[in-house]
Amino acid sequence: MQHNNTNSIAKTSNHDVQKNILEVSHLKKTFQIKSPDGKKGLLKAVDDVSFKIKKGETFSLVGESGCGKSTLGRTLLGLYTPDRGSKILFNGEDNSNIPKSKRKNFAKQAQLIFQDPSACLNPRRTIKQILLEPFKIHKMKNGEAKIMELMDMVGLASRFLDRFPHEMSGGQKQRVGIARALALGPELIVCDEPVSALDVSIQAQVINLLEDLQKQLNLTYLFISHDLSVVHHISDRVAVMYLGKIVELTTRDNLYEQTQHPYTKALLSSIPDICGEPREKIILTGDVPSPSNPPSGCRFHTRCPAVMDICKTKEPDFIQTSSNHFVACHICTK
Ligand SMILES: Nc1ncnc2c1ncn2[C@@H]1O[C@H](COP(=O)(O)OP(=O)(O)OP(=O)(O)O)[C@@H](O)[C@H]1O
Ligand SMILES: [Mg+2]
């Protein structure tokens, strides 16, 4: 049993596939918080996670609301400063604490697609102005020609360039969000719930677009979602988060067919027909504990249907249990 997670992935057609674009070790992000009665406290939104993402793959993060998915994605992009001791290597270079002066340049390499396209597109600007902005900020020429290319890439007619965001549908606005993320030619895109604000009928179109763009541009995605059907469709590998920790990390097929962690089993039981044998419904009891005061031992022990005594006191290590499969659970590794 080893603690490293250098996995092979499904998309072997990509010649560059073995290279890690991101190597994350012991990443932590703590927020200072104030309780309603004014007491100061610490909230460990991401608490000691390690993983690698290979160039060209889609690496998904799943877990319930508040488990730290967005914080992890934003910290990787330099939008939050990680705690001391965290290490983020981007294409082999230390990106753990990007100074402000370098952040602008990093935007050319890594970008974010947001959940709610309406909230992230300036309502007073036309689509043309919105798409030209990155080129202006980076003093790049040919912006006008590039935005025509971008519109074509995301399947929007050029007539939309003179429209304002409110004159477009949710799906069209998300296409603009994708075009803007692509403007500077990034290698990595963090897609934070990119389809959850869209109608179900539009979700598949946007997912297909993301997949086509990935092939065309050799993009790497960190795909954040709570929708396990979408994650099953798009992912090469999946990491399951619970209260700031990764509890299971494996290939997409392993996760759905050889599920190990009781938390993952419970999440998957809510979509019984997705693949393999029909699953027995597991209903988790108890509320999700607060990350500002997590349970001792295994953080999941207060809700785990298979809890053992050791789970209440000893935090499980993140251990390799089979090829390409890592899990933090005393039950799975006993
Ligand atoms: N800027 C902040 N200051 C203080 N606490 C924060 C901040 N941002 C996030 N948190 C807290 O960190 C924890 C993780 O939040 P995060 O938004 O990363 O979760 P998430 O998994 O993305 O949830 P969701 O699925 O709802 O988007 C939550 O408890 C949240 O309240
Ligand atoms: Mg989030």
Side-chain angles (χ1 to χ4, degrees):
M1 289 190 178
Q2 299 164 19
H3 288 253
N4 91 43
N5 64 353
T6 312
N7 303 342
S8 65
I9 63 167
K11 287 179 188 161
T12 45
S13 57
N14 181 344
H15 67 277
D16 218 1
V17 82
Q18 291 307 319
K19 199 177 147 201
N20 290 318
I21 189 167
L22 261 182
E23 293 175 50
V24 177
S25 31
H26 304 294
L27 180 69
K28 295 183 184 181
K29 177 61 197 170
T30 306
F31 292 113
Q32 295 215 337
I33 51 161
K34 244 187 195 176
S35 60
D37 57 6
K39 276 193 190 146
K40 282 188 184 167
L42 297 175
L43 185 150
K44 292 181 178 176
V46 177
D47 194 4
D48 200 356
V49 306
S50 302
F51 60 93
K52 295 172 184 176
I53 302 184
K54 297 198 176 290
K55 198 163 167 54
E57 80 168 320
T58 299
F59 183 98
S60 292
L61 274 182
V62 300
E64 286 163 297
S65 181
C67 69
K69 305 179 295 295
S70 297
T71 305
L72 175 51
R74 285 164 177 264
T75 309
L76 295 178
L77 292 180
L79 301 174
Y80 294 139
T81 307
D83 297 359
R84 272 199 195 173
S86 308
K87 190 143 199 179
I88 303 168
L89 295 183
F90 185 84
N91 280 331
E93 271 186 42
D94 194 349
N95 245 23
S96 314
N97 204 342
I98 315 169
K100 265 198 180 145
S101 56
K102 283 198 177 167
R103 225 170 271 169
K104 189 172 147 193
N105 215 30
F106 185 54
K108 289 186 187 164
Q109 295 166 293
Q111 279 287 332
L112 179 63
I113 296 173
F114 299 85
Q115 171 175 359
D116 182 0
S118 307
C120 67
L121 302 178
N122 187 334
R124 286 180 294 278
R125 300 237 163 129
T126 62
I127 303 308
K128 183 174 179 176
Q129 290 168 327
I130 289 169
L131 291 181
L132 278 176
E133 205 177 353
F135 297 100
K136 286 193 176 154
I137 293 172
H138 289 266
K139 298 190 173 62
M140 289 163 78
K141 289 179 187 156
N142 296 337
E144 299 261 346
K146 289 262 187 203
I147 63 170
M148 299 306 287
E149 249 179 67
L150 288 169
M151 291 290 279
D152 192 41
M153 268 185 192
V154 300
L156 284 176
S158 55
R159 64 188 150 85
F160 286 105
L161 283 170
D162 294 325
R163 296 207 185 162
F164 288 91
H166 73 267
E167 296 173 306
M168 301 176 88
S169 69
Q172 288 164 343
K173 277 186 276 196
Q174 192 55 296
R175 284 172 193 266
V176 175
I178 295 170
R180 191 176 57 176
L182 292 175
L184 302 174
E187 293 175 64
L188 171 74
I189 301 188
V190 173
C191 308
D192 193 351
E193 305 266 9
V195 295
S196 33
L198 304 177
D199 288 349
V200 174
S201 57
I202 308 296
Q203 288 187 1
Q205 294 174 15
V206 173
I207 291 292
N208 289 342
L209 172 65
L210 288 171
E211 288 186 310
D212 289 346
L213 290 168
Q214 180 174 44
K215 281 186 211 128
Q216 217 176 312
L217 304 168
N218 193 21
L219 297 168
T220 307
Y221 291 145
L222 173 64
F223 192 88
I224 296 174
S225 179
H226 63 269
D227 184 334
L228 287 154
S229 313
V230 173
V231 167
H232 180 260
H233 179 86
I234 201 165
S235 314
D236 290 305
R237 287 187 302 146
V238 186
V240 181
M241 283 187 82
Y242 186 78
L243 277 185
K245 298 235 173 232
I246 293 181
V247 297
E248 185 160 8
L249 191 170
T250 187
T251 59
R252 186 268 310 265
D253 289 347
N254 271 353
L255 191 87
Y256 288 78
E257 289 161 24
Q258 311 283 334
T259 321
Q260 291 186 0
H261 201 286
Y263 177 58
T264 317
K265 286 182 183 166
L267 288 181
L268 289 176
S269 81
S270 63
I271 43 160
D273 306 327
I274 193 142
C275 64
E277 297 291 307
R279 291 166 200 273
E280 188 192 335
K281 182 104 183 137
I282 303 169
I283 296 170
L284 292 177
T285 52
D287 293 331
V288 183
S290 164
S292 61
N293 186 21
S296 59
C298 170
R299 288 177 186 200
F300 184 58
H301 88 254
T302 54
R303 298 168 80 205
C304 181
V307 61
M308 307 185 298
D309 280 346
I310 189 175
C311 309
K312 298 173 187 167
T313 52
K314 188 174 182 302
E315 190 174 337
D317 290 329
F318 192 55
I319 282 175
Q320 182 166 10
T321 51
S322 64
S323 169
N324 295 329
H325 211 142
F326 299 80
V327 69
C329 173
H330 293 299
I331 303 148
C332 310
T333 53
K334 74 177 173 186

